[in-house]
Amino acid sequence: MGDYLVINRSSVNKLVVIGNGMVGQRLLDELIKQGCDEWDITVIGAESVPAYDRVALSTYFDGASRDDLTVCDTKALRSAGIDLLLGVTVERIVPASQTVVLEDGRAVAYDHLVLATGSFPFVPPLPGADGAGCFEYRTLDDLDAIEAWAAPDHVQSGVVIGGGLLGLECANALKNLGLETHVVEMADRLMPQQLDAPASAMLKRWIDDLEVQTHLGFSTSEIAYDDGLLLGLREADGTLLDAQMVVFSAGIRPRHQLAEAAGLAIGPRGGVVIDDTCLTSDPAISAIGEVACHAGQVYGLVAPGYAMARTLADRLLGGEATFEGADLSTKLKLFGVEVASFGTVANDDDRVEFSDPTSKIHRRVSLVDGRVTGGVLVGDASNYDVLHAMAAGTMATADVASLVLPAGLAPSVSAELPDSAQLCSCNNVTRGELRKAIEGGCHEAGALCDATSAGTGCGGCMPDVKSMLFTQLEAMGIEGNRSLCSHFDFSRQQLFDLVRLHRYSSWGQVLQAHGKGRGCEICRPTVGSILASLSNGYVLDGDQGAIQDTNDHSLANMQRNGTYSVVPRVPGGEITPAQLIALGEIGEEFGLYTKITGAQRIDLFGAQLHELPEIWQRVIDAGLESGHAYGKALRTVKSCVGDTWCRYGVQDSVSMAIRLEQRYRGLRSPHKLKSAVSGCTRECAEAQSKDFGVIATETGWNLYLAGNGGRTPRHAELFAVDLSDEELIVYIDRFLMFYIRTAERLERTAPWFAKLEGGMDYLRSVIIDDELGICDELEADMARHVETYECEWTATLDDPQRLRHFVEFVNAPDHNSTPVWIRERGQRVPSDQPVPAL
């Protein structure tokens, strides 16, 4: 098996890929990108849905849909002539006849076969492991089963077996479901494969504060039942850990059974043995991803799998690429906490270390003979790229002591990363590859990403991609195009200033004065948002109605089956019994799916367009108003119960949350805004994960800015301490208006803040010290918003002309499409069937 794979293109034309996971899909993407016309490709996937992002599975319980998670463009596959068979199981591989036999008896011939079957979760051989209430955490079907099991009221506690990376991601999913969450780990620390003991202990502090209970050194003897009812985990000493759900996430095993049965070589710890070309012991079969064993190593990360996919695609198209192993360094977010590990760390290494239990930051860098060899970072992963480059030997070790200090404490360190340094870990794109593409003519972000694949994975590197693009263009003497789109030669900030200066009030005025053409899906809603931010007028009046996106256009969020959600505002989470009864009656009468969200609101799903006015009339009659769930605006100000009820509370967090939400309701901004107020440092409202968060102290309020939850979570940073009520509101006023003025389109506060030169010190100089001399203007802008605010649904219901908008068919106002419904857990939900035609 020493020869590299060389394809004779004249004789090989049938390619079969078993597996349509992330790595198998990446192989198809690479083949399509490079041109695969001479291949007749068939893909066989065991799951009934195309490839999706397993790395982001926990977001499924945080609002992400199946469509949000998909990574497969089925239209692109069809255009390339690729046959995608889903929900099909392969029974066996017959190398002698080069065929794949399916479960239904069909035989698919191949000239070359690719195994991308991935892995399966390891389920410890425990008594009771196959009982009711025990689940794996690997597929969307697993998640649907977990969610269904967690729905009844009696299921209040879940336990995850495994405290590694996958286990903590799984725990995050259970936490998102609202369960009391436990993690048990046999080792003496969390993430034992990536973190040393001090780093793991610091991570445990973060997780403990999030009220996820961890049990280390836990040896499970059985999963206990009583007459078929799940009781929990029983430890070796007989102690019972109560739980109504058990999820296994104790590692993975390569899914190599098909290969083993076909006689292929298997590694000593599992996995199909491959060489540097991804070729197996059979010259007509390759393997990539978690099923493959290269140089004795089975990789459980997606980035090495992507590297294998690129290598194999190149080989199948006649190239000479090789896979020579992968760097296992990782930088990620767990529960919103930055965690990174790189290189190798040994107990007897020299080390430079920073550890602060108050901020829960631990940063350690190991050195051997004065050279950086590895490190672990918890709570703050700043300078990861530089330290990783030093450990990889692509950059000289220098100024380690300064680099180990966390952001905000470290002095400025000038460190130009080498071309060999990795910028995009998902697709293993180096800075040199980006630089070469920019020099080759990729002067727009989109073109640069298309040419290099950078930023097309998780998207986390996009700020770095854009930063490098503009830095490189500047070095080349070329002015980077920061224009909003082809219709406006201005950035969003420049356009905001122009609209504000000239006091434009319509799309037509802005387009005529500063634009060209008719606009597009980028500039039209951007201008609509700017006009709404500055004027606070009814968003559908005049020509603004035509430039709103789908949700604003209907003053409601459109759902997957074409119906809409109704989301009333519940300031601070406070709602009266009468209002609860009214919402229940509305949901019952209109057959709406009802859900309490993690943001302390009640969502009603399934309303048809023509029903929205009648429903909202009932909601407003109950004393509620629009929650702006459809707009890029303030969503909620979440709160705990504060000192009114809680024995730990030191301030009235509910009153402050209501005051803030009523002040900033309807405030249009570049992206959605979320906030929270906690009544003490126990942080039950999770204020530090919000765009602006407030935590009570004995003498006032601490203000935290620029945190975000969701797909790219980031903790907010402390801005000011012990503020009075008046100081707090003034600073938030200024912060929000400064953000609205200067952020890019669809840029939340966290990435906006990350680009602010000078960071928090600069923000304080603008907001507190008024260094730019604009604080009076910012306060006046906010005062204008507060004075002119009007609930958009109240304004709609009071105007017959506006109500005409909520007719589905203008030429047949009495006709409406009929969604297809099914019932799950006692409520009406959309069917996967298409909406029938009229």
Side-chain angles (χ1 to χ4, degrees):
M1 199 183 70
D3 295 336
Y4 286 159
L5 170 64
V6 178
I7 301 298
N8 182 342
R9 300 303 300 278
S10 62
S11 61
V12 176
N13 57 12
K14 292 185 180 297
L15 179 69
V16 175
V17 181
I18 302 178
N20 186 229
M22 295 176 71
V23 173
Q25 181 60 40
R26 179 51 58 95
L27 172 66
L28 302 179
D29 293 340
E30 292 289 336
L31 290 172
I32 291 172
K33 183 170 68 175
Q34 298 180 43
C36 55
D37 294 342
E38 298 177 34
W39 285 102
D40 181 8
I41 304 175
T42 299
V43 183
I44 305 169
E47 292 190 62
S48 60
V49 294
Y52 52 88
D53 187 354
R54 295 187 197 276
V55 178
L57 276 183
S58 64
T59 65
Y60 191 64
F61 296 142
D62 196 24
S65 67
R66 289 189 173 221
D67 289 342
D68 292 331
L69 292 173
T70 187
V71 295
C72 176
D73 185 346
T74 53
K75 291 182 179 179
L77 297 190
R78 286 195 295 269
S79 297
I82 296 175
D83 191 11
L84 179 61
L85 306 179
L86 296 176
V88 176
T89 301
V90 174
E91 183 177 288
R92 66 183 182 277
I93 301 167
V94 186
S97 60
Q98 294 195 176
T99 55
V100 171
V101 180
L102 307 182
E103 60 181 345
D104 61 5
R106 286 181 293 167
V108 181
Y110 66 83
D111 292 299
H112 198 80
L113 176 67
V114 179
L115 299 175
T117 50
S119 60
F120 60 90
F122 169 65
V123 177
L126 296 171
D130 57 351
C134 293
F135 300 92
E136 298 176 359
Y137 181 76
R138 187 64 176 169
T139 69
L140 286 173
D141 288 342
D142 291 337
L143 267 61
D144 285 337
I146 289 171
E147 187 173 31
W149 185 268
D153 292 340
H154 72 272
V155 180
Q156 298 179 344
S157 177
V159 59
V160 178
I161 297 182
L165 176 58
L166 290 175
L168 294 179
E169 283 287 349
C170 178
N172 190 35
L174 297 190
K175 181 71 174 172
N176 287 339
L177 281 174
L179 297 180
E180 176 186 307
T181 303
H182 299 262
V183 176
V184 300
E185 168 59 45
M186 286 188 62
D188 61 354
R189 64 183 188 271
L190 298 172
M191 292 184 66
Q193 301 299 317
Q194 291 88 8
L195 303 181
D196 63 3
S200 180
M202 196 65 78
L203 177 61
K204 186 176 183 300
R205 285 175 179 262
W206 283 100
I207 293 175
D208 288 346
D209 284 351
L210 294 170
E211 299 183 354
V212 172
Q213 301 178 47
T214 55
H215 309 266
L216 305 178
F218 191 103
S219 178
T220 306
S221 64
E222 68 167 341
I223 299 172
Y225 287 85
D226 181 17
D227 195 24
L229 180 66
L230 177 61
L231 300 179
L233 299 189
R234 195 175 304 281
E235 200 171 3
D237 64 3
T239 303
L240 180 68
L241 176 59
D242 292 336
Q244 295 82 49
M245 173 188 291
V246 175
V247 183
F248 297 104
S249 191
I252 56 175
R253 299 292 185 269
R255 200 182 296 274
H256 62 229
Q257 289 79 1
L258 281 173
E260 188 173 26
L264 302 183
I266 303 298
R269 295 186 177 181
V272 186
V273 176
I274 63 170
D275 65 10
D276 289 355
T277 67
C278 300
L279 192 66
T280 70
S281 54
D282 184 324
I285 303 177
S286 296
I288 54 176
E290 293 174 345
V291 73
C293 175
H294 177 265
Q297 174 78 49
V298 175
Y299 295 97
L301 300 173
V302 69
Y306 284 172
M308 293 180 199
R310 285 192 297 273
T311 296
L312 182 57
D314 182 77
R315 284 279 165 174
L316 291 170
L317 298 175
E320 298 182 355
T322 59
F323 175 76
E324 299 176 357
D327 184 0
L328 295 180
S329 299
T330 56
K331 178 185 177 185
L332 45 90
K333 287 280 186 73
L334 288 169
F335 291 95
V337 184
E338 292 185 351
V339 178
S341 67
F342 56 94
T344 58
V345 173
N347 289 332
D348 56 353
D349 291 344
D350 292 334
R351 67 179 67 182
V352 181
E353 194 170 60
F354 174 92
S355 191
D356 179 8
T358 303
S359 62
K360 299 190 290 293
I361 293 174
H362 176 84
R363 294 166 59 84
R364 172 205 172 165
V365 173
S366 287
L367 300 99
V368 175
D369 297 329
R371 186 180 70 82
V372 171
T373 59
V376 290
L377 313 171
V378 174
D380 181 331
S382 57
N383 291 321
Y384 166 83
D385 292 338
V386 175
L387 292 167
H388 178 246
M390 290 179 178
T394 58
M395 185 174 180
T397 296
D399 210 357
V400 176
S402 295
L403 291 168
V404 169
L405 289 172
L409 295 180
S412 178
V413 177
S414 177
E416 179 66 26
L417 287 166
D419 281 352
S420 57
Q422 186 186 75
L423 188 141
C424 173
S425 59
C426 288
N427 296 302
N428 193 29
V429 182
T430 65
R431 296 177 66 86
E433 290 172 303
L434 280 173
R435 196 185 311 278
K436 183 177 179 180
I438 295 168
E439 292 172 348
C442 293
H443 296 169
E444 303 281 348
L448 183 59
C449 293
D450 289 341
T452 64
S453 295
T456 59
C458 72
C461 64
M462 276 307 298
D464 293 332
V465 170
K466 290 183 177 180
S467 176
M468 184 173 178
L469 170 63
F470 293 126
T471 300
Q472 185 67 17
L473 289 176
E474 184 178 347
M476 295 166 61
I478 300 173
E479 184 177 356
N481 182 7
R482 300 174 188 263
S483 300
L484 185 65
C485 66
S486 60
H487 302 103
F488 287 92
D489 296 327
F490 303 98
S491 66
R492 189 239 175 224
Q493 181 180 347
Q494 291 170 329
L495 202 55
F496 185 98
D497 291 337
L498 287 169
V499 174
R500 180 176 176 275
L501 176 66
H502 295 287
R503 299 183 180 179
Y504 297 127
S505 59
S506 71
W507 158 254
Q509 290 174 331
V510 179
L511 183 65
Q512 182 177 1
H514 305 289
K516 53 195 172 189
R518 295 185 175 182
C520 64
E521 70 278 2
I522 294 175
C523 62
R524 292 165 71 88
T526 300
V527 171
S529 173
I530 292 172
L531 291 170
S533 295
L534 289 171
S535 67
N536 207 23
Y538 186 77
V539 296
L540 301 181
D541 273 353
D543 64 1
Q544 286 193 60
I547 63 174
Q548 305 299 330
D549 61 21
T550 301
N551 290 335
D552 274 309
H553 197 65
S554 303
L555 302 182
N557 265 337
M558 178 180 281
Q559 305 304 309
R560 60 182 296 182
N561 66 337
T563 61
Y564 295 86
S565 63
V566 174
V567 186
R569 185 171 300 286
V570 183
E574 184 178 85
I575 189 167
T576 67
Q579 290 170 335
L580 280 172
I581 292 169
L583 292 180
E585 290 174 342
I586 292 169
E588 186 74 24
E589 181 173 334
F590 289 89
L592 305 179
Y593 174 89
T594 309
K595 186 180 189 302
I596 297 176
T597 72
Q600 294 182 332
R601 295 194 299 190
I602 298 174
D603 288 8
L604 306 171
F605 294 91
Q608 294 178 251
L609 183 68
H610 69 281
E611 295 175 325
L612 288 174
E614 185 178 354
I615 292 172
W616 272 108
Q617 184 66 69
R618 296 272 296 276
V619 171
I620 289 169
D621 288 345
L624 298 166
E625 65 177 20
S626 171
H628 290 91
Y630 48 83
K632 299 297 183 284
L634 178 80
R635 296 294 176 85
T636 64
V637 181
K638 185 178 176 181
S639 79
C640 62
V641 296
D643 65 356
T644 306
W645 295 98
C646 179
R647 67 184 187 275
Y648 298 105
V650 295
Q651 299 284 352
D652 186 356
S653 59
V654 178
S655 293
M656 179 54 73
I658 292 172
R659 184 175 178 183
L660 294 177
E661 185 158 346
Q662 290 179 337
R663 183 172 184 81
Y664 304 124
R665 57 189 173 178
L667 180 65
R668 298 283 173 157
S669 60
H671 212 302
K672 62 186 175 186
L673 293 165
K674 294 186 178 182
S675 179
V677 182
S678 286
C680 73
T681 55
R682 285 167 57 96
E683 250 285 69
C684 292
E686 300 169 334
Q688 292 180 79
S689 64
K690 302 297 188 285
D691 296 280
F692 60 102
V694 181
I695 300 178
T697 70
E698 293 285 351
T699 57
W701 306 97
N702 286 354
L703 175 59
Y704 293 78
L705 298 179
N708 288 161
R711 292 188 179 277
T712 55
R714 178 189 186 278
H715 270 70
E717 291 190 22
L718 181 61
F719 174 79
V721 300
D722 293 330
L723 300 174
S724 67
D725 291 7
E726 291 69 26
E727 289 173 326
L728 176 69
I729 290 173
V730 166
Y731 289 162
I732 297 175
D733 283 357
R734 295 175 180 179
F735 165 71
L736 291 176
M737 294 312 303
F738 185 57
Y739 159 68
I740 289 171
R741 281 193 182 190
T742 58
E744 296 294 336
R745 171 182 179 268
L746 299 181
E747 184 176 52
R748 289 197 70 179
T749 57
W752 166 80
F753 174 75
K755 297 191 305 184
L756 273 187
E757 188 173 348
M760 191 57 74
D761 287 340
Y762 172 70
L763 199 55
R764 291 189 185 102
S765 73
V766 173
I767 293 173
I768 298 176
D769 302 329
D770 198 14
E771 184 177 89
L772 301 181
I774 60 173
C775 285
D776 287 345
E777 295 178 12
L778 300 178
E779 291 178 33
D781 286 345
M782 185 60 74
R784 186 180 308 110
H785 163 76
V786 174
E787 291 167 3
T788 59
Y789 169 76
E790 182 181 22
C791 170
E792 287 162 347
W793 267 107
T794 299
T796 300
L797 296 170
D798 289 342
D799 189 331
Q801 288 298 112
R802 290 169 175 169
L803 284 173
R804 293 177 61 186
H805 177 77
F806 296 91
V807 174
E808 190 169 358
F809 302 104
V810 176
N811 60 342
D814 294 331
H815 290 266
N816 302 289
S817 58
T818 305
V820 179
W821 303 101
I822 59 174
R823 296 193 72 81
E824 288 187 2
R825 298 182 297 281
Q827 296 205 69
R828 189 181 74 170
V829 297
S831 167
D832 289 333
Q833 300 179 42
V835 177
L838 290 174

